[in-house]
Amino acid sequence: MHQSIMNTQNVYILEDRGILYINGADAKEFLQNLISNDINKVNEESSCFASLLTPQGKFLFAFIIAKHKAGYFIDCEKSQTEALFKQLNVYKLRSDVDIMNLSNEFVIAAFNYEKFLKFEGAKDHPGYTIKYREDPILLDPRNKDLGARLIINLEKLYLSLKKLELKDSPIDEYYKLSHDLGIAQKEMNKLQNKLFGIECNFEELNGIDFQKGCYVGQENTARIKLKNKLSKRLLAIQLISGKLTEGASIYANDIEVGKVLINDEYPFALIKYLDENFKKDIELKSENAILRIKMPNWI
């Protein structure tokens, strides 16, 4: 679909991502009791997307988990790394778990889906993971249109990119693609406690496992799903004119149908997408703005 934007030679050094590393005898069980996805999906050939929610099921953190040696890489937005590190340490208690912030040593490089498929052993499904020397390369578990991610030591980065015939490209191309796809990745702190994890489309982005046992926030997540109570979703805003205000209401024919949550470069709103007043692609009004909501094709 959006493949033309991410050209086969382009690579995006996602310097705005942080990396935590979790290992120790209890690492797997520790993560399993916390995250919205099933840690058993993560192995040498498979990575997953997951979130950490409040006990009420509200959004706190989102991240990608990849196996690395005996432990797990946690790839999250850099502005969330420090708080996620602290939160995981709060839950640690007496578990045999070691949590390290490796954000200064490791970096994420994203490149396109077609390039990934050219690697030996690559398979065409989200989360599929291969090794380049000892570094994991994974097809984005949220949506394969986001391409692949290489998690690599900073010191090896440029030599590896040269060998892979990838050239450094402007990072905003990547985030524009993500926004066009309707996938929020920037300013995630603005979403904390403002909406349920399931309202962030984490089910469609392969981030929630409804079969697994207990995790933090599971009850409300399951209840919303079970009772078909999902009436609001986080959706990308296309600004037509004016300026967006964080927290401002969004109106269709003077009826409130949502709220602006992220108002910056890649804006998102929580929208009552089933409301009869909300029609996709119609012009909506907010405090000082006229906007449209883009409904992604994967919903």
Side-chain angles (χ1 to χ4, degrees):
M1 187 189 149
H2 294 270
Q3 288 315 323
S4 56
I5 304 173
M6 273 169 87
N7 173 317
T8 318
Q9 287 84 51
N10 292 359
V11 67
Y12 305 96
I13 314 298
L14 305 183
E15 287 164 354
D16 57 328
R17 300 292 288 181
I19 294 279
L20 298 179
Y21 184 61
I22 300 185
N23 69 350
D26 299 337
K28 188 173 187 179
E29 191 187 357
F30 170 72
L31 284 168
Q32 186 69 329
N33 290 330
L34 296 179
I35 63 169
S36 61
N37 212 334
D38 184 354
I39 196 68
N40 293 304
K41 291 174 184 166
V42 181
N43 55 48
E44 296 294 332
E45 293 186 348
S46 175
S47 303
C48 82
F49 176 57
S51 60
L52 181 59
L53 308 174
T54 69
Q56 292 74 41
K58 293 280 178 83
F59 171 79
L60 280 178
F61 304 98
F63 38 83
I64 289 168
I65 307 178
K67 192 86 183 79
H68 180 63
K69 298 183 173 152
Y72 300 92
F73 276 138
I74 306 280
D75 152 13
C76 71
E77 192 185 358
K78 204 171 242 176
S79 62
Q80 287 212 305
T81 320
E82 205 43 55
L84 177 56
F85 178 77
K86 286 198 178 101
Q87 186 75 41
L88 291 171
N89 274 296
V90 166
Y91 282 120
K92 202 170 109 170
L93 305 169
R94 286 194 293 280
S95 303
D96 180 0
V97 173
D98 195 22
I99 306 168
M100 286 176 278
N101 189 345
L102 300 183
S103 301
N104 296 327
E105 292 164 51
F106 282 86
V107 68
I108 304 286
F111 56 87
N112 102 338
Y113 160 76
E114 273 123 8
K115 177 82 176 176
F116 175 78
L117 292 182
K118 291 191 174 122
F119 281 88
E120 196 183 329
K123 288 190 185 157
D124 187 3
H125 53 85
Y128 195 77
T129 306
I130 55 175
K131 283 270 192 288
Y132 173 69
R133 307 214 158 108
E134 65 267 30
D135 302 305
I137 295 183
L138 51 125
L139 194 52
D140 201 301
R142 294 166 291 191
N143 184 311
K144 55 193 189 185
D145 281 341
L146 284 171
R149 302 166 90 75
L150 163 66
I151 307 176
I152 191 167
N153 199 298
L154 204 48
E155 289 166 11
K156 298 195 299 197
L157 175 69
Y158 288 97
L159 187 61
S160 297
L161 294 185
K162 206 173 152 181
K163 286 197 168 128
L164 293 171
E165 296 175 5
L166 287 166
K167 64 171 203 299
D168 197 354
S169 303
I171 192 170
D172 52 349
E173 282 178 20
Y174 173 80
Y175 285 112
K176 188 182 176 322
L177 167 73
S178 186
H179 188 257
D180 286 344
L181 285 168
I183 299 169
Q185 298 199 58
K186 301 285 281 175
E187 306 282 349
M188 298 297 274
N189 287 336
K190 291 186 171 185
L191 303 178
Q192 289 188 319
N193 282 301
K194 302 266 171 64
L195 73 172
F196 289 104
I198 195 170
E199 292 175 336
C200 297
N201 311 312
F202 287 160
E203 183 181 0
E204 290 77 9
L205 297 172
N206 309 315
I208 302 176
D209 189 297
F210 289 99
Q211 267 61 60
K212 75 172 272 192
C214 282
Y215 59 87
V216 181
Q218 187 227 357
E219 280 175 50
N220 274 348
T221 305
R223 186 177 301 128
I224 294 168
K225 162 83 170 161
L226 213 64
K227 302 204 161 149
N228 285 325
K229 284 276 198 285
L230 182 63
S231 59
K232 297 184 206 142
R233 286 184 182 274
L234 185 68
L235 298 169
I237 296 173
Q238 182 189 352
L239 182 62
I240 296 168
S241 64
K243 195 170 167 17
L244 293 168
T245 310
E246 187 183 341
S249 294
I250 295 171
Y251 299 94
N253 320 319
D254 302 326
I255 312 273
E256 188 181 342
V257 293
K259 239 185 193 52
V260 176
L261 294 185
I262 298 174
N263 60 328
D264 294 335
E265 204 177 345
Y266 309 104
F268 279 82
L270 184 61
I271 296 290
K272 298 174 185 167
Y273 75 111
L274 299 175
D275 190 301
E276 58 206 15
N277 295 285
F278 171 71
K279 302 271 184 292
K280 58 178 190 177
D281 301 328
I282 63 164
E283 290 196 359
L284 305 171
K285 288 189 175 67
S286 183
E287 211 166 286
N288 303 303
I290 293 172
L291 58 104
R292 266 193 203 97
I293 295 297
K294 301 191 272 197
M295 268 307 245
N297 63 359
W298 42 263
I299 284 182

